[in-house]
Amino acid sequence: MSNEPTMKLVTNLDRAAIEAKLREVGGEAAAAGLPELAKMFVGIEGMPAAQIEQRVHNANKWLADKPQHMKLSAMLDLVGMNLKNLK
């Protein structure tokens, strides 16, 4: 059995919660020594939905070959499921 915590899938995040989650991703990325990834989520507050969606997509692509950062990928997947809620 894995010691990894289970992520609760939430699909009703609003813009503020999505932005907060992306700031969290940026902070986690910076703490993990991933400044390129962290920079993707600087200044996202109030950004148009299409730009946020593109950054999430780019971050997922960037992490695709980095399985050691699965937690960040999972956080981005959670955000991805909620992008439809950006208004």
Side-chain angles (χ1 to χ4, degrees), residues 32-45:
L34 304 171
E36 293 173 53
L37 182 63
K39 287 179 188 176
M40 291 183 193
F41 301 110
V42 172
I44 57 159
E45 293 80 9

Side-chain angles (χ1 to χ4, degrees), residues 10-56:
V10 179
T11 59
N12 62 347
L13 297 180
D14 62 7
R15 175 176 273 278
I18 290 169
E19 290 175 354
K21 184 59 74 175
L22 291 175
R23 283 191 302 275
E24 183 181 349
V25 169
E28 295 268 343
L34 304 171
E36 293 173 53
L37 182 63
K39 287 179 188 176
M40 291 183 193
F41 301 110
V42 172
I44 57 159
E45 293 80 9
M47 186 178 284
Q51 285 183 328
I52 292 175
E53 185 175 346
Q54 186 62 49
R55 289 189 186 203
V56 169

